[in-house]
Amino acid sequence: GNESKGNGAADQFINTYGWLYSIHGLTNGRRELWDFYINMNVIELFNTMTFFKHMGIYERQNERKHGKGI
């Protein structure tokens, strides 16, 4: 497909930069904080990323359950 349109570009971006995008999210876009996560033990980093992923899911479900964020 055409990688400049639709999901192709998004898929290519995540395939190439997914772990950096995750670090970007963990640091709220503050590049000066990236080294903390880049230098972290890989298992600790994956556990941290998994925690924040599931925390986000929990918070979104909780907001829907209580009628917030709609």
Side-chain angles (χ1 to χ4, degrees):
N2 185 346
E3 293 181 351
S4 64
K5 293 183 180 178
N7 288 338
D11 290 344
Q12 182 179 8
F13 176 81
I14 292 300
N15 286 336
T16 304
Y17 301 108
W19 73 278
L20 288 173
Y21 183 72
S22 295
I23 290 174
H24 174 76
L26 289 170
T27 62
N28 294 316
R30 295 184 55 196
R31 178 60 181 93
E32 70 274 12
L33 301 176
W34 282 26
D35 285 345
F36 174 80
Y37 292 101
I38 290 173
N39 293 321
M40 188 180 280
N41 172 288
V42 71
I43 294 172
E44 186 177 359
L45 174 62
F46 286 168
N47 284 333
T48 300
M49 292 188 329
T50 300
F51 169 77
F52 281 107
K53 176 183 176 180
H54 288 108
M55 185 176 73
I57 293 167
Y58 167 77
E59 288 175 344
R60 285 189 298 278
Q61 288 175 346
N62 199 36
E63 287 174 356
R64 282 194 299 266
K65 182 178 180 181
H66 297 291
K68 297 177 184 174
I70 296 176

